[in-house]
Amino acid sequence: MKNSYDAIIIGAGPAGLACSAELANKGLEVALLDEQATPGGQIYRNITRTSSRQRTVLGEDYTEGLKVIENFEKAAPDYLPRARVWQAEPNGEVFLSHKKSSKKLTAQFLVLSTGAMERPVPFPGWTLPGVMTCGGMSNLFKDSSLAPTEPVVIAGSGPLLWLVAEHLFALNAPIAAILDTTPSKQYITSARHMPQALGRFGYLMKGVKMIAAVQLAAKKAKVPMYRNVKNIEAVGNEQLQSVKATCGNKQLEFAASTLLVHEGIIPNTALLRQIGCEHTWNPVQRYWHPEVNEHGATNLPAVFVAGDGTFVHGAKSAEYKGRLTAMAIAKQLHRLSKCEYKQQAAPVREQLHKELQPRPFIDALYAPRKDLFAIPDEATVCRCEGVTAGRIREIVAQGFSDHNEIKSIIRCGMGPCQGRMCGSAVLELVAERSGIPAEETRPLRMRPPIKPVSLQELANAQLEETDES
Amino acid sequence: MKADVLIVGGGIMGCATAIELARKKKSVILFEKDEPGRHASGHNSGGVRCQGRDVREIPLAVAARAMWDHHEQTVQSDCGFHVSPRLRLAENDADMAVLEKRQALLNSLGYDHEVLVDREQVRRMSPHVAEHVVGGLACYTDGLANPLLTSKAYAATAEREGVTILSQTRVIDVQKTANGFKVRTSSGKQYEGETLVNGTGAWAGRFSEMLGDPLPIYAAAPTMMVTDRVPGIMNGTSLGLTGRLLGLMAAENGTIIIGGGYRSPLDLEKEKIWIDPMQMSKAAKIMIEVLPALRSAQMIRCWTAFEGCLKDKVPIVGASTKVSGLFHVCGFSAHGFQLAPMMGRVMSQLVLGREPELPLDDFRPDRFEQAA
């Protein structure tokens, strides 16, 4: 590793891998930093090490990642796994923690490809051991072939819910119930995006087939499956014992030791916010995403964002976005002429456009349902500081609508996660109680270090410029 | 729109002054370019500290400290205030000599709020301090408060008392007129008042310059940090050092708030501060030396705020010597929070043309010119 690069890419998912490979292939000095031990991000997590059995279960969409890895390895940019970036600055400085020591790297350009995360949604009992997300389950399987051996309930809305259900059937996991919370009326409201989505008919059919396969498997295995489900509740004392929900007038309850929830995917904007990227509100998916142009340029001249961090579009799009960002940077650093840039970017841009065709339909179909954040007063919202929904409503009723101020006064979002887990919910609770639209409230500020760093490590940190090692 | 008094700046000083004036039946309009408490008033380290103050400030600080016990009656909020004795540590004999001299000075002036303590007493108050610490100076009545809660309570009280607070309203022009001042704001409106109070913190120098009364105030960005919860380590005692920069506040929830003079680079024009990670590293080094048990504690967040500073580190409080009817209350140099309730009192007395209950001569705006 050097201390200084042409470009530093943060996050080794499909966008970061493709971007760093493209830049390295153009002769630029590139470093790819990633928190995990192996490249792949969340979607291709652990792909360099998974067994053929794991790969069979995870299917083609997963093994697609092998090609991305292959290109990346051929291009061979500097790659630093297990590196936690805790601060980045618009002048290209990156502060990171690696092997219990902190240091500073600099680059002319930064590409933040920190991807997406599952939308955290508080509900009664969500902090009980045994409750986790579908993505978390998927990670456990990718990392260590783990799958539940005791009854598991799958609840929520979105493609990942069906994908994980499919995997769990393939693994013969004892599924107690599948509870789809997608409101029926969203099948109608999303229909107007269908014509455009049909441009990628094959992609849509893959989704339809996946859901049909899960339904068939559920029928065969006599697993109860409900649609239009509401009011999910995790019940138990020390550990999850059962899952309650309602479906129409029906009260449901299933004994289970694991509950997998999923309420969609949102950009992971922590580093983007800390560095100072401007954000825009998406009213359909109800999340903040950075304001970027087609190749990921932000309001900060040296900072680009690539991949699902810009807007959740999936792995394939992330790869294209990563490449387009790389080309834009290569052009700025005179490794591509204007003409070459046009020639090379056009086909990638076209592939990206095609890939994006079904997204408005999917985003509308799996939009967060209206009552998703109708959180009961007694439910915990901020896990770090133990702040309930009721306490938040109370302070909003007193006239506070800025999460930053709410944080300072009742500590909601003040813990080590800096509001990553409660941010979405606080936003919606403020909107609900104050009547102020979410997009008009001041977004939560992220302060370095965005990940906790031990005092010993900070004390030993090499943060000043040093000679190349 | 007209009022007796126009106050510019919705920090705690502007709000405190507004409350006292409104209680004396003056009509007050207060302009705030953002939200009350947005900068240093609402985002400082929360120290309510008499200890270590410049002797010129001590009478005000002692009087202010008494007022912190009555916030529930005066501003309808406890402001999150709680006592956390402040112990200034001597790390060597030279430090101890400094502290001894300090106590002697205070005693000669008739103050007894800072008390010398020996090695053993230091360890009783703060059992985890490092071996090399030889003694300290304790102020048992110091405490901590929640700065944003306090600032908001002051602003809310001002409004209850009838003050018009115009948030998100920037003063873009101000002029002296025959019978007072005329102010034009970012919302395109004009306001008139007989007197004008400058409580604009980091912006106080440039604001005052609009009236031809430049002040030698410069902006700084005090940088605070906070650890994860490390219950028991501080034992409820907040710490300071004598020969080095560090202030450790023992928050009630077990976290430690770090302040004490760290600064980050800033751009006042763009209202942007870049948090300098070197400050975290410097503070962490000293923290581990003073409290070795903190080695495995985590730094979880930094924050900063714009503050107005003066080179002699005491504020400007008083009537402008150049523009009649203009009053300054600014330049608190990162230790104004504790003084706020008392500043409201003396400022209102000044504005009403009365003799302030404590002398303010040391805080004259023209003291730098005199020195030159």
Side-chain angles (χ1 to χ4, degrees):
Chain A
M1 288 298 284
K2 304 188 174 90
N3 291 321
S4 175
Y5 288 89
D6 292 322
I8 291 175
I9 288 91
I10 301 165
L17 290 166
C19 181
S20 56
E22 187 88 28
L23 284 168
N25 284 337
K26 292 186 161 49
L28 291 159
E29 295 197 320
V30 185
L32 175 62
L33 315 178
D34 191 51
E35 288 193 353
Q36 294 186 51
T38 60
Q42 299 302 334
I43 190 84
Y44 303 138
R45 195 180 168 100
N46 203 32
I47 189 154
T48 53
R49 293 182 183 170
T50 37
S51 67
S52 60
R53 177 178 162 272
Q54 280 166 302
R55 287 177 188 176
T56 309
V57 171
L58 293 166
E60 260 174 40
D61 283 345
Y62 178 73
T63 49
E64 188 73 14
L66 289 168
K67 287 181 213 157
V68 184
I69 298 284
E70 195 185 327
N71 288 334
F72 163 73
E73 285 176 346
K74 250 190 241 156
D78 278 5
Y79 165 57
L80 190 68
R82 294 193 172 102
R84 275 186 323 142
V85 172
W86 49 261
Q87 181 173 357
E89 290 297 325
N91 62 2
E93 289 176 342
V94 173
F95 300 88
L96 62 98
S97 169
H98 180 244
K99 291 188 178 161
K100 295 192 172 173
S101 101
S102 274
K103 60 176 171 178
K104 176 169 98 172
L105 301 176
T106 57
Q108 286 193 64
F109 289 98
L110 299 182
V111 180
L112 314 182
S113 45
T114 50
M117 57 190 263
E118 286 176 287
R119 187 194 311 272
V121 180
F123 60 92
W126 74 310
T127 55
L128 272 179
V131 180
M132 59 188 291
T133 64
C134 284
M137 181 71 244
S138 183
N139 286 349
L140 286 178
F141 179 71
K142 287 169 185 168
D143 283 345
S144 8
S145 281
L146 283 179
T149 52
E150 286 175 48
V152 50
V153 171
I154 308 171
S157 174
L160 188 62
L161 180 93
W162 299 109
L163 187 66
V164 167
E166 188 186 37
H167 297 164
L168 291 185
F169 275 120
L171 294 163
N172 291 316
I175 302 177
I178 300 173
L179 310 174
D180 181 2
T181 59
T182 314
S184 306
K185 72 165 197 281
Q186 287 179 199
Y187 287 91
I188 300 157
T189 51
S190 61
R192 68 194 172 93
H193 300 291
M194 189 51 120
Q196 187 198 332
L198 288 174
R200 287 272 281 125
F201 185 71
Y203 179 90
L204 279 188
M205 281 317 289
K206 212 158 75 181
V208 172
K209 273 186 194 161
M210 175 174 77
I211 296 174
V214 169
Q215 285 173 325
L216 188 66
K219 207 168 181 185
K220 265 193 189 161
K222 299 205 168 76
V223 170
M225 204 165 116
Y226 291 88
R227 296 290 183 108
N228 215 1
V229 172
K230 287 181 177 169
N231 305 315
I232 306 280
E233 189 180 337
V235 184
N237 288 322
E238 304 284 295
Q239 157 76 33
L240 179 75
Q241 283 161 342
S242 72
V243 178
K244 283 185 183 170
T246 60
C247 182
N249 297 326
K250 228 178 182 163
Q251 297 289 328
L252 307 174
E253 181 160 9
F254 304 95
S257 58
T258 305
L259 166 61
L260 303 180
V261 288
H262 177 73
E263 294 292 355
I265 295 176
I266 64 175
N268 175 9
T269 57
L271 189 62
L272 284 53
R273 281 212 184 284
Q274 182 268 307
I275 202 171
C277 291
E278 277 166 14
H279 284 68
T280 307
W281 175 254
N282 180 272
V284 176
Q285 273 290 318
R286 299 191 69 77
Y287 57 59
W288 290 103
H289 62 94
E291 248 181 88
V292 292
N293 69 5
E294 209 164 31
H295 44 255
T298 66
N299 56 307
L300 307 168
V303 180
F304 288 73
V305 180
D308 270 1
T310 60
F311 201 97
V312 180
H313 288 141
K316 208 67 208 166
S317 302
E319 193 184 323
Y320 298 139
K321 290 187 213 169
R323 291 186 60 198
L324 286 172
T325 297
M327 289 173 195
I329 291 173
K331 191 176 94 189
Q332 286 203 40
L333 289 173
H334 309 291
R335 300 313 201 272
L336 276 183
S337 68
K338 262 188 189 162
C339 179
E340 287 168 322
Y341 170 77
K342 262 188 188 162
Q343 271 175 8
Q344 293 187 20
V348 182
R349 204 175 288 140
E350 199 175 313
Q351 280 172 303
L352 176 61
H353 285 172
K354 204 157 168 49
E355 192 63 33
L356 297 185
Q357 282 173 344
R359 294 313 306 194
F361 170 69
I362 295 168
D363 288 343
L365 176 59
Y366 295 120
R369 57 183 206 267
K370 267 223 154 63
D371 56 359
L372 185 57
F373 290 96
I375 309 161
D377 277 346
E378 61 281 7
T380 299
V381 171
C382 170
R383 304 174 74 138
C384 298
E385 297 289 334
V387 183
T388 62
R391 183 78 185 94
I392 296 164
R393 289 191 175 104
E394 217 174 274
I395 191 110
V396 176
Q398 285 171 34
F400 291 92
S401 60
D402 175 352
H403 191 174
N404 298 288
E405 293 190 351
I406 294 172
K407 175 179 98 172
S408 293
I409 292 173
I410 61 169
R411 302 194 59 81
C412 175
M414 215 168 204
C417 91
Q418 291 201 46
R420 270 188 207 78
M421 293 302 285
C422 69
S424 301
V426 173
L427 197 68
E428 300 289 356
L429 288 170
V430 167
E432 167 213 289
R433 191 44 58 107
S434 69
I436 301 170
E439 61 271 35
E440 285 173 24
T441 60
R442 205 190 294 243
L444 189 58
R445 293 185 284 269
M446 290 297 289
R447 296 299 189 213
I450 61 164
K451 305 272 167 83
V453 193
S454 85
L455 294 191
Q456 180 72 76
E457 183 175 327
L458 278 172
N460 297 341
Q462 295 289 317
L463 302 182
E464 305 283 26
E465 297 285 357
T466 49
D467 293 323
E468 291 188 358
S469 51
Chain B
M1 207 174 155
K2 281 188 182 179
D4 297 328
V5 185
L6 305 179
I7 298 180
V8 187
I12 195 163
M13 298 306 170
C15 289
T17 305
I19 292 170
E20 297 288 340
L21 285 169
R23 284 180 179 158
K24 283 158 191 149
K25 306 292 173 238
K26 289 284 164 186
S27 60
V28 182
I29 302 174
L30 186 150
F31 307 91
E32 164 53 47
K33 67 179 170 53
D34 201 290
E35 296 290 335
R38 173 65 188 88
H39 291 291
S41 298
H43 297 86
N44 57 69
S45 60
V48 176
R49 162 179 76 80
C50 280
Q51 195 199 55
R53 284 195 176 266
D54 189 293
V55 289
R56 291 170 285 181
E57 283 180 357
I58 291 177
L60 289 163
V62 170
R65 173 60 188 84
M67 296 171 81
W68 276 92
D69 288 330
H70 305 294
H71 271 137
E72 213 131 17
Q73 290 83 52
T74 54
V75 299
Q76 260 97 82
S77 167
D78 67 2
C79 298
F81 176 70
H82 59 95
V83 169
S84 165
R86 173 102 174 182
L87 178 59
R88 194 169 166 199
L89 301 174
E91 296 188 88
N92 49 48
D93 293 342
D95 280 0
M96 201 62 204
V98 171
L99 297 185
E100 280 161 6
K101 214 172 133 191
R102 164 87 181 170
Q103 198 205 17
L105 172 68
L106 293 191
N107 288 350
S108 74
L109 296 169
Y111 301 115
D112 60 358
H113 60 279
E114 294 184 24
V115 185
L116 276 177
V117 293
D118 63 12
R119 275 187 81 97
E120 277 57 49
Q121 281 170 293
V122 163
R123 275 156 192 84
R124 260 205 302 280
M125 291 178 77
S126 191
H128 292 277
V129 296
E131 270 303 301
H132 72 275
V133 172
V134 293
L137 194 58
C139 185
Y140 294 101
T141 51
D142 278 349
L144 299 173
N146 178 331
L148 193 71
L149 182 62
T150 309
S151 297
K152 294 294 182 187
Y154 270 69
T157 303
E159 285 191 309
R160 271 198 306 274
E161 297 289 344
V163 174
T164 304
I165 295 185
L166 302 171
S167 294
Q168 302 290 343
T169 306
R170 189 183 288 266
V171 171
I172 52 175
D173 187 45
V174 54
Q175 276 171 12
K176 178 86 179 94
T177 60
N179 33 17
F181 296 87
K182 201 186 264 178
V183 155
R184 199 154 53 85
T185 68
S186 52
S187 49
K189 290 186 182 141
Q190 290 217 6
Y191 300 85
E192 285 173 50
E194 284 165 33
T195 47
L196 182 71
V197 175
N198 172 18
T200 55
W203 292 267
R206 64 172 63 191
F207 173 75
S208 185
E209 202 162 359
M210 285 203 271
L211 285 162
D213 182 17
L215 302 174
I217 286 183
Y218 63 93
T223 301
M224 280 69 63
M225 299 156 241
V226 64
T227 67
D228 59 345
R229 291 173 198 234
V230 282
I233 300 250
M234 298 293 283
N235 194 38
T237 303
S238 293
L239 300 175
L241 296 182
T242 306
R244 303 195 278 178
L245 281 185
L246 190 69
L248 298 180
M249 267 63 78
E252 273 184 318
N253 62 5
T255 62
I256 303 173
I257 297 164
I258 303 137
Y262 294 94
R263 300 285 183 266
S264 282
L266 60 90
D267 182 335
L268 190 63
E269 205 67 55
K270 293 185 181 137
E271 298 198 8
K272 168 88 191 144
I273 301 170
W274 293 272
I275 292 178
D276 174 12
M278 267 315 289
Q279 307 299 317
M280 276 190 265
S281 181
K282 281 185 199 161
K285 261 187 205 128
I286 305 177
M287 284 172 77
I288 292 173
E289 282 171 28
V290 174
L291 286 168
L294 286 179
R295 197 165 281 135
S296 55
Q298 310 273 314
M299 192 76 88
I300 64 167
R301 190 164 26 88
C302 283
W303 74 96
T304 62
F306 281 105
E307 167 68 336
C309 295
L310 286 155
K311 64 178 180 198
D312 65 354
K313 292 181 180 148
V314 297
I316 288 176
V317 184
S320 164
T321 48
K322 299 206 171 66
V323 182
S324 67
L326 171 63
F327 296 87
H328 301 295
V329 55
C330 49
F332 284 84
S333 309
H335 48 261
F337 181 59
Q338 188 265 3
L339 297 172
M342 197 55 202
M343 295 322 302
R345 280 261 282 275
V346 293
M347 278 305 291
S348 67
Q349 290 155 356
L350 277 179
V351 169
L352 294 169
R354 299 179 193 156
E355 186 67 22
E357 64 186 80
L358 287 170
L360 298 170
D361 299 332
D362 288 329
F363 311 112
R364 286 173 62 91
D366 60 347
R367 64 179 184 269
F368 301 98
E369 293 160 34
Q370 288 167 343

